Amino acid sequence: MAGTDHRDGGGLDDLARLEAGLDALESPTQRRVPVGDVLRRKVLPPVLALLLVLLTWQVLVWARVTDDYKLPAPLDVWASARELWLRGELLHIVWTSVSRGLFGFLLALAIGTPLGLLVARVALVRAAVRPVLSGLQSLPSIAWVPPAVIWLGLNDTMMYAVILLGAVPSVANGLIAGIDQIPPLYLRAGRAIGIRGVRSVRHVVLPAALPAYVAGLKQGWAFSWRSLMAAEIIASSPDLGIGLGQLLDNGRNNADMAGIFLAILLILVVGIAIDLLIFCPVERVVLRHRGLLQEGENCRTTWFRRPAAEAAP
């Protein structure tokens, strides 16, 4: 009996170890990343890339590859930015465009999400609307500026209309693509446990479609920002204030290449900042929740990798 009890106890211990091992495989490894690794992997590469771009730029200026008024030196652009800062205009110009872009994107999100759900779930609506959305997504946003000015006038409403026409198709198509890629087993499993209708959308459809939906949101923001810049460049008016697009167009009108380069750099910096501060953390949470990203990894380094449970030492 003692031998039997020993064998039974050993079997239970083996089963407990097996369960613990399976739980460990299912749970992503959480570890604190040293500060030095963070600086080396996330801070140092973009800093080096920026220094390399500035050095190349300055070398081209020294080599006089073109006339001075066509290619200003980095210090000339810095002086233009400093002048706007001292006049108290730099932050106001940036915020004018950023506030328009973010508000327009939120409107596109509020419209594109239910539209994407409707197109993805209703066959008749899909047949009628999906080709239109694909066509609108391929249409350059700048094409909407002239009719929007004629219809709505030179005001913020015109700006938001151009943003919506550029961004809504991307948001909707991203969600449609995510829903189309949901395995049918997920939907059947939801129905089997009584999740139907709106609850199915909330608990099954949207979580399963989240990766493609987030990709659609990133593309939607890119279209929002590009559409806004096109509208600000073309539709200039004192009533609209000065945004980054107007700053760029003012530099063109005044043959101020330093101001033009400054506007281009600010547009680029805002686009990168929004991506890093908003979309990258969201993407990181989604990927980590699916076991595709290890603790401390950047959302930029997620292609062609093993799942985190396999990659963990």
Side-chain angles (χ1 to χ4, degrees):
M1 293 294 292
T4 302
D5 293 342
H6 176 72
R7 287 193 299 271
D8 291 343
L12 292 175
D13 290 341
D14 291 340
L15 181 59
R17 285 195 294 269
L18 177 60
E19 292 176 349
L22 292 175
D23 290 339
L25 286 176
E26 293 176 356
S27 303
T29 303
Q30 301 291 328
R31 59 188 179 85
R32 183 177 296 276
V33 181
V35 176
D37 288 348
V38 174
L39 294 176
R40 177 174 55 84
R41 294 167 55 186
K42 295 185 179 182
V43 178
L44 187 60
V47 170
L48 291 178
L50 177 60
L51 292 177
L52 179 61
V53 169
L54 292 176
L55 178 60
T56 304
W57 182 358
Q58 186 61 55
V59 168
L60 292 175
V61 173
W62 285 334
R64 296 187 178 276
V65 295
T66 186
D67 297 330
D68 292 341
Y69 71 90
K70 293 182 180 179
L71 182 64
L75 288 179
D76 294 334
V77 178
W78 173 257
S80 180
R82 185 172 181 272
E83 180 182 356
L84 286 177
W85 174 267
L86 293 177
R87 296 207 311 251
E89 298 178 4
L90 184 61
L91 292 181
H92 177 72
I93 291 173
V94 173
W95 177 244
T96 296
S97 293
V98 170
S99 60
R100 283 175 181 160
L102 290 177
F103 185 70
F105 173 72
L106 291 177
L107 289 177
L109 180 63
I111 296 172
T113 299
L115 179 61
L117 285 171
L118 184 64
V119 172
R121 304 293 287 178
V122 181
L124 181 61
V125 178
R126 173 188 286 263
V129 178
R130 183 67 189 274
V132 178
L133 288 176
S134 299
L136 288 175
Q137 189 171 2
S138 63
L139 182 68
S141 304
I142 196 172
W144 290 112
V145 178
V149 171
I150 295 174
W151 293 335
L152 302 172
L154 290 172
N155 49 49
D156 283 336
T157 303
M158 177 273 299
M159 297 282 184
Y160 296 134
V162 174
I163 292 174
L164 291 177
L165 289 167
V168 167
S170 295
V171 175
N173 280 330
L175 182 55
I176 294 168
I179 294 175
D180 289 345
Q181 295 166 14
I182 297 176
L185 180 61
Y186 290 8
L187 302 176
R188 290 199 297 269
R191 287 193 295 267
I193 60 176
I195 299 179
R196 300 174 182 274
V198 177
R199 293 182 62 208
S200 175
V201 172
R202 165 66 177 84
H203 296 288
V204 179
V205 174
L206 285 179
L210 199 55
Y213 181 46
V214 171
L217 294 183
K218 292 179 66 176
Q219 190 177 50
W221 161 253
F223 273 82
S224 297
W225 191 235
R226 291 164 55 184
S227 301
L228 175 62
M229 291 301 103
E232 288 186 348
I233 290 172
I234 295 177
S236 297
S237 169
D239 296 335
L240 292 172
I242 299 179
L244 293 174
Q246 287 95 334
L247 180 66
L248 181 61
D249 191 54
N250 289 343
R252 177 186 66 85
N253 293 331
N254 298 324
D256 178 14
M257 286 302 297
I260 291 175
F261 270 70
L262 173 61
I264 292 173
L265 290 175
L266 289 175
I267 293 170
L268 180 63
V269 167
V270 170
I272 294 174
I274 294 296
D275 185 57
L276 292 178
L277 296 176
I278 298 178
F279 293 107
C280 191
V282 172
E283 184 181 10
R284 187 161 54 238
V285 170
V286 172
L287 292 174
R288 188 173 296 145
H289 181 70
R290 283 160 171 75
L292 299 174
L293 194 67
Q294 297 184 67
E295 184 70 23
E297 287 187 310
N298 195 321
C299 61
R300 292 289 178 272
T301 58
T302 57
W303 296 103
F304 306 111
R305 68 141 49 88
R306 296 174 298 166
E310 298 179 17

